[in-house]
Amino acid sequence: MSYCASRFHTVRRTTREVRVGSVGVGGPQPIRVQSMTTSDTQDVAATVRQSIALAEVGCEIVRITAPNVAAARCLRDIRRDFTAAGFGHIPLVADIHFLPAAAMEAVEHVEKVRINPGNYADKKKFAVREYTDSAYEEELQRLHESFTPLVLRCRELGRALRIGTNHGSLSDRIMNRYGDTPLGMVESALEFLRIAEAHSFRDIILSMKSSNPKVMIQAYRLLVERMAREDMHYPLHLGVTEAGDGEDGRIKSAIGIGSLLLDGLGDTIRVSLTEDSVYEIPVARAIAAKAMSRWRPAAEATAASAADGIDPYQFKRRDSAVVELSAGCRVGGDQPPRVIVRVKSAVALSDAARELASPRLADTPAEGLLIPVTTPGDLAELCATAARTELPAEFLVLEVAPTLTPDLLQPLLALTRGKLVLLRRFAAADAETLAAFAALAARHGHFVACDAEADEIPALAPVIKGPDGARLWFTLGGAAPTGDEAHPTGRYRRLAEALRAAGPKAPIWIRNTAATAAGPGNDFLSRLLEASFLTGGLLCDGVGDLVSVETEPDPVRATRLAYNVLQGAGARISKTEFVACPSCGRTLFDLQTTTQRIRAQTGHLKGVKIAIMGCIVNGPGEMADADFGYVGGAPGKINLYVGRTCVQYNIPQAEADARLIALIREHGRWVDPSPASA
Ligand code: SF4
């Protein structure tokens, strides 16, 4: 059973509609945007102020932490004052961890309660033990007893519930039986869902969050597939936890949330950023608008909805052949995806080369330069520039116009040192031309990037399987064929499937171009989101050997964006990875400035993962697989972790940065920053 109606078109999953106060979630409703306050909940005035600020920028549902019964009691006053300020139509949600008593108090005052199935009835001890079936049953019985009163009260009061699973805080029971896996996350939610259903309570929304977009994507897909088997159709709340801040936080969120929305999953979203929560809303709204602009009626998708060969529940990189471009640059196979940067024209090559040679890009170089070549004059210009310019790239890709025949290209190919790639559109009727290009490339040791739709692959197959077929890469650059409403991700999935069916293991190059972009907006955020949706989503499916963000005109920014998307998808690590919680009423230090300060000192540690978490209540559980953790232990005090083990308690915050760096050194993970990155 599949988790979505189509992997190629965005056909929205049909769900029941859950009313959260006056706001409908799921069913025919638009994707709802939500966020969370970060003030101390017991500071009623501050929490109301933050709720109003969120509502004023378009937040449709506001969540507030209720870390204890006293805070839960304050929700009554917050609800009253928020309503009095004119926001009675915006529902409030209580965020509960650990304390059923706080949930029972909160449900009296707000429209929805979020519980974490990993800790609602369990204390996290990281204990390893074997559960017999009967011991497991006893545990479930205990869950039943803890959770039932809340379910019954929600039913009586007409409240909604979110069963919000987090990858980092699964119960010991689930960890011991299913491990730290998407399946464990799904089972964790289903245990609670079945209890609610046993009481005929169905006003439930589910989430499966993780700081790792791949894990989060797989968990949501698996959840939907499992629910469909049990005839359950609950709406989904999507989010990537601890995504961090700035460009990285936006990219990670957009990869996870965007991939699922493109497959038609998701009814309400939260973009968690380590920034003031009002900054989350424009990002969430832009993501939702892009996804909704792609919604298609189910009937449109059925004709072309054959399955592809990708296992959506288990990450595996697509099997592709390795191509050697230079001693330092190979493409395909287990090589990291390579970055290509577009240069406006042959004339602009010198300037772009100078900018891209910046020491700031020393660790993240543009490996290929893509240059449009339309006329023989462009070719001459390119030859002259290439001869006098030191190119800061391993290879050149020439996007050649159809008027440039192999004969015209011959002189450049013969002259050029290093490898060239000829990029050109090849339709089904162009098999002969493709053969001529492949032969020309082969003669000079170069390559051809074949821009062809999946439907055209069978007609081109004789060349692809022929003697020069190993010189071909595949990509999509142009607009979708008329009448094809598939989204760009779907077109690339089809292309991967067509190549698999035809046999070759040619590398696939994911291009973000104006033609693959869609939906409202063409500012930097919009370009970042598009790149995250398309490139990040495909990389999380295991597809992609080269990437380019051609929608971004500035070559330095385009390079940085491509590397950041690769990092966000976990496909190529070029810097330290930060897992930073978005902060909430429990936070014990200023997360934003602390994150920025720690990043400034440790951001060059390629492959090291550092978690910065605001409290010890949830922080250690949510850090998932971080190598080192910086966690608020008490006001002004920090606890430091190596993996999941706390190794230094209650350090004065003023000393904590230096101690963290010392710890990283002690564990052999420190390197001094290069002069360029310093
Ligand atoms: S880890 Fe951060 S967001 Fe989570 S409860 Fe603690 S302070 Fe709040």
Side-chain angles (χ1 to χ4, degrees), residues 97 242 581-588 591 613-615 618-619 622:
H97 292 271
E242 287 88 34
C581 80
S583 88
C584 73
R586 295 182 196 263
T587 309
L588 291 164
L591 261 161
M613 311 297 280
C615 75
N618 287 326
E622 306 280 354

Side-chain angles (χ1 to χ4, degrees), residues 117 146 155 203 211 229 270-271 284 301 344 349 356 366 387 465 478 514 550 595 611 653 662:
S146 306
R155 205 179 63 185
D203 291 329
S211 62
R229 282 174 197 257
R270 187 213 173 177
V271 172
K344 258 196 334 259
L349 181 58
L356 290 168
K465 293 180 186 166
E550 297 163 43
T595 305
Q653 197 177 349

Side-chain angles (χ1 to χ4, degrees), residues 178-198:
Y178 299 99
D180 189 7
T181 59
L183 179 61
M185 294 170 71
V186 171
E187 286 300 328
S188 174
L190 288 178
E191 287 178 350
F192 281 72
L193 200 47
R194 290 182 191 122
I195 296 170
E197 287 224 322

Side-chain angles (χ1 to χ4, degrees), residues 157-382:
L157 295 173
R159 308 299 199 212
L161 252 179
R162 169 154 70 97
I163 301 175
T165 307
N166 278 8
H167 180 221
S169 57
L170 296 174
S171 67
D172 289 347
R173 177 183 62 263
I174 288 286
M175 289 285 278
N176 281 295
R177 180 156 284 205
Y178 299 99
D180 189 7
T181 59
L183 179 61
M185 294 170 71
V186 171
E187 286 300 328
S188 174
L190 288 178
E191 287 178 350
F192 281 72
L193 200 47
R194 290 182 191 122
I195 296 170
E197 287 224 322
H199 295 296
S200 305
F201 179 72
R202 295 193 172 79
D203 291 329
I204 298 171
I205 298 169
L206 292 113
S207 62
M208 297 275 120
K209 297 192 186 181
S210 166
S211 62
N212 179 334
K214 269 193 219 120
V215 171
M216 169 264 190
I217 292 168
Q218 286 164 20
Y220 277 102
R221 288 172 175 172
L222 197 57
L223 172 70
V224 170
E225 194 265 352
R226 287 296 150 101
M227 286 201 295
R229 282 174 197 257
E230 299 190 30
D231 203 19
M232 295 173 173
H233 307 281
Y234 294 101
L236 299 177
H237 163 130
L238 305 184
V240 175
T241 49
E242 287 88 34
D245 60 355
E247 207 170 302
D248 292 332
R250 285 159 176 75
I251 287 171
K252 254 192 182 185
S253 295
I255 291 174
I257 297 172
S259 302
L260 292 162
L261 290 176
L262 279 184
D263 284 343
L265 310 189
D267 306 285
T268 174
I269 63 174
R270 187 213 173 177
V271 172
S272 299
L273 297 177
T274 311
E275 297 176 21
D276 288 349
S277 30
V278 287
Y279 294 117
E280 296 177 355
I281 302 302
V283 185
R285 284 165 64 103
I287 290 175
K290 279 192 182 294
M292 289 191 286
S293 75
R294 298 212 195 267
W295 280 352
R296 297 287 173 263
E300 227 169 63
T302 45
S305 292
D308 57 351
I310 294 168
D311 179 350
Y313 310 114
Q314 189 83 47
F315 176 79
K316 182 176 178 300
R317 189 162 171 197
R318 175 179 169 266
D319 197 10
S320 62
V322 181
V323 175
E324 180 138 359
L325 289 169
S326 69
C329 185
R330 292 191 294 160
V331 170
D334 59 1
Q335 294 298 305
R338 300 298 178 182
V339 171
I340 298 175
V341 174
R342 186 183 185 87
V343 175
K344 258 196 334 259
S345 64
V347 178
L349 181 58
S350 307
D351 286 347
R354 205 168 32 252
E355 286 176 47
L356 290 168
S358 157
R360 284 185 299 135
L361 295 179
D363 295 333
T364 52
E367 290 157 317
L369 293 181
L370 166 61
I371 305 160
V373 187
T374 316
T375 64
D378 290 343
L379 268 180
E381 174 72 40
L382 183 62

